[in-house]
Amino acid sequence: MIVIGALYMKKTNNSEDYFLGGRGLGGWVAALSAQASDMSGWLLMGLPGAVYAYGMGQAWIAIGLLTGTILNWVFISGRLRRYTIRANNSLTLPAYFENRFHDKKQILLIISSVVIVIFFLVYTASALAAGGKLFHLVFGLDYRIALTIGAAVILLYTFMGGFMAVCVTDFIQGMLMLVGILAVPIAALFLVGSENMTSLLDASGVAQGSQSFLNLMHSGGKAYTGMEIFSQFAWCFGYFGMPHILVRFMAVRDEKEIRKSRWIAVVWCTLSLAFACALGVIGRAYLYPVILGTEGAGSAENVFIEMITKVFTQDLALPFVGGLFLCGILAAIMSTADSQLLVTASAVSEDLYHQVVNPKADSKKVLSISRITVLVVAVLAYIIALDPDSSIMGLVSNAWAGFGAAFGPLVVLSLYWKRTNLPGAVAGIVSGALTVLVWDYLPLAGGRTLGAATGLYSLAVGFAISLALIAGVSLATKAPSEEILREFEDVKSGNVEA
């Protein structure tokens, strides 16, 4: 990964190369880069751990994510690429918002850049924490030393090579993740025997027995309420507002490549999510009598690591292959952290520094500022991740909600509703981000947060409030100018030079 970073450093001459790779992504690289940067260590640690602990009811998150992936590629990818070109060749999501709504005072640019920095700090911290846990478990290193090694490697190749280095490494990492997530549960199922699954699940002490554990409508032995199912499925709304995924759509070579990417991404996502859930179920039976999450055993989020170790060092005696699959977890972690660092760097250097602070800065200066930003953000995320007990799932959940609620409704309406205007856009971003922060962090319900008290995911609430305010404020204020409406119609009809 570091070698790839060094190779692309020679090809990175300006800020467009560093942030969008000169809009030169091919279909395979675009698809796997988008999906690998999306799924992170959450796919191989957080989701299997949740299924291992509570049962197949946790798969509603996976169903929501697959739905969101399909909707994003079908309805957002092509039109967003066209609109960013029509909107003054926007390189970043904040720049797209500014150019789309002709925001001369740069209010949208500043607000959206601040939102990106806040929530990506939390998101990057989740990836670094996952890397620290991996190195700690595999090598027995102290968690803080393990965290430092993982953070240093990610920082190095992102710092050097920029967008193309990140995308090419993501492609390799995406392939490695897919092979690992397919091979390990299949090998474990073969070793344990499918006929023994239910008896081993019962013996492992799953709540209310194996029948409840395998029921999509149960979680932790209790029947799911409609609210709980909706909260998990609501993860799908997050996709429309993820800067590190949306930037891949902006960078694809042409719309023909987007159509190819769409199929590759959906197949990859379907297989990965299905087998991540299978990992949790099969791991519960295969690892018995060890029960993760109980006294003396590791966290349930380590189920994939424990399965690889047992399958390839004890049962099959293929430790080298096991090592490669452990690299798949590291690949998942790195492929997300590098993308988040890069998007945060673009928000600070291109959107805040170049557009607001120093508009006369040349491309080399912007490139230098972006590399300094990568360094600073990595250090701050590292500090957040220093707590070894931090939950990967919890950190990802909060950041996902923040981006989905702040940006998701605006991305959708900016592409499909021509009446959306600047005041509505500002109201949408601010209300979405604030709703998530209030819902998840302020103890307003008898010492508990509103999220904990209601069981409703903050993304669902924030998305709805943001959507309503964009529509309401836009209709209550002045309609967009003729020039803005003409740009909208150009994009809608496909009349864009690209």
Side-chain angles (χ1 to χ4, degrees):
M1 300 303 110
I2 293 171
V3 168
I4 290 170
L7 289 172
Y8 278 98
M9 190 174 187
K10 297 177 182 177
K11 300 178 183 180
T12 302
N13 300 312
N14 55 48
S15 55
E16 183 170 2
D17 288 344
Y18 195 76
F19 297 135
L20 279 188
R23 293 191 195 265
L25 281 194
W28 277 91
V29 174
L32 288 187
S33 177
Q35 296 316 121
S37 65
D38 161 20
M39 288 303 178
S40 77
W42 174 88
L43 176 72
L44 302 183
M45 294 179 77
L47 179 58
V51 172
Y52 177 98
Y54 301 108
M56 275 301 290
Q58 297 295 308
W60 281 105
I61 296 176
I63 294 168
L65 290 173
L66 179 59
T67 305
T69 297
I70 294 168
L71 293 174
N72 217 20
W73 277 100
V74 172
F75 294 106
I76 303 298
S77 59
R79 191 172 282 209
L80 180 64
R81 183 186 179 280
R82 285 203 302 273
Y83 221 137
T84 54
I85 292 168
R86 183 68 180 85
N88 202 27
N89 195 32
S90 307
L91 299 183
T92 66
L93 193 62
Y96 161 68
F97 290 147
E98 179 191 25
N99 294 330
R100 161 68 176 83
F101 296 104
H102 293 207
D103 178 14
K104 299 289 190 287
K105 294 181 180 177
Q106 300 182 311
I107 300 167
L108 281 175
L109 192 77
I110 295 167
I111 293 172
S112 50
S113 297
V114 170
V115 169
I116 283 175
V117 172
I118 290 170
F119 286 111
F120 264 148
L121 272 176
V122 179
Y123 214 149
T124 308
S126 76
L128 298 184
K133 289 181 180 184
L134 173 69
F135 281 135
H136 168 68
L137 203 66
V138 174
F139 299 114
L141 290 172
D142 176 78
Y143 173 78
R144 286 175 175 79
I145 295 172
L147 181 69
T148 305
I149 294 170
V153 172
I154 295 165
L155 176 62
L156 193 56
Y157 74 78
T158 307
F159 182 88
M160 291 192 296
F163 186 79
M164 283 307 296
V166 165
C167 287
V168 173
T169 53
D170 282 356
F171 172 77
I172 296 166
Q173 290 157 351
M175 294 298 290
L176 192 55
M177 287 162 66
L178 186 61
V179 172
I181 207 168
L182 293 178
V184 174
I186 291 172
L189 184 61
F190 174 77
L191 289 167
V192 80
S194 56
E195 68 280 1
N196 299 321
M197 281 292 296
T198 53
S199 59
L200 285 168
L201 286 174
D202 287 326
S204 73
V206 293
Q208 302 300 313
S210 58
Q211 206 166 2
S212 174
F213 187 79
L214 296 171
N215 191 333
L216 200 59
M217 307 306 291
H218 284 199
S219 180
K222 297 175 184 173
Y224 254 148
T225 64
M227 174 83 78
E228 289 169 326
I229 291 174
F230 175 71
S231 282
Q232 296 211 320
F233 183 78
W235 281 64
C236 74
F237 299 124
Y239 275 99
F240 307 129
M242 292 297 137
H244 58 301
I245 299 172
L246 298 174
V247 75
R248 264 71 184 170
F249 302 156
M250 294 156 62
V252 177
R253 189 180 303 131
D254 53 48
E255 294 208 30
K256 184 181 174 185
E257 290 293 329
I258 279 187
R259 287 190 287 274
K260 186 205 299 184
S261 300
R262 189 176 295 154
W263 287 103
I264 298 165
V266 169
V267 170
W268 187 96
C269 192
T270 304
L271 288 172
S272 298
L273 289 168
F275 275 83
C277 293
L279 266 173
V281 173
I282 296 168
R284 184 85 192 202
Y286 176 68
L287 294 174
Y288 182 76
V290 173
I291 302 172
L292 300 178
T294 56
E295 196 170 336
S299 160
E301 289 187 334
N302 295 333
V303 58
F304 191 38
I305 301 172
E306 298 284 1
M307 285 175 74
I308 291 171
T309 305
K310 188 177 178 189
V311 169
F312 293 103
T313 61
Q314 295 177 28
D315 293 340
L316 297 183
L318 294 169
F320 182 78
V321 176
L324 286 178
F325 288 145
L326 286 172
C327 288
I329 302 175
L330 183 61
I333 294 158
M334 294 167 79
S335 62
T336 300
D338 56 21
S339 303
Q340 292 159 351
L341 284 172
L342 197 63
V343 171
T344 313
S346 70
V348 173
S349 60
E350 178 64 31
D351 299 326
L352 290 178
Y353 177 76
H354 190 207
Q355 300 300 326
V356 179
V357 178
N358 187 5
K360 294 181 180 178
D362 61 22
S363 196
K364 297 282 186 186
K365 179 74 172 175
V366 175
L367 189 57
S368 299
I369 295 294
S370 65
R371 285 181 167 145
I372 292 168
T373 307
V374 166
L375 182 63
V376 172
V377 171
V379 169
L380 292 174
Y382 170 86
I383 292 168
I384 295 170
L386 278 172
D387 176 13
D389 297 322
S390 57
S391 163
I392 298 165
M393 193 80 168
L395 288 169
V396 170
S397 172
N398 293 346
W400 188 266
F403 283 125
F407 296 146
L410 182 57
V411 168
V412 174
L413 292 181
S414 71
L415 296 176
Y416 285 96
W417 189 43
K418 63 182 179 182
R419 185 62 177 79
T420 313
N421 66 12
L422 177 58
V426 172
I429 293 177
V430 172
S431 63
L434 284 178
T435 299
V436 169
L437 291 172
V438 170
W439 201 263
D440 283 339
Y441 292 103
L442 296 184
L444 299 178
R448 295 198 299 166
T449 64
L450 291 169
T454 62
L456 185 58
Y457 187 22
S458 56
L459 171 55
V461 183
F463 195 94
I465 289 174
S466 176
L467 198 66
L469 277 175
I470 293 171
V473 173
S474 292
L475 290 171
T477 50
K478 189 179 176 184
S481 67
E482 285 299 319
E483 189 180 353
I484 292 175
L485 294 176
R486 189 165 58 249
E487 288 175 3
F488 182 92
E489 292 300 332
D490 285 346
V491 173
K492 183 180 176 182
S493 63
N495 183 26
V496 175
E497 289 185 18

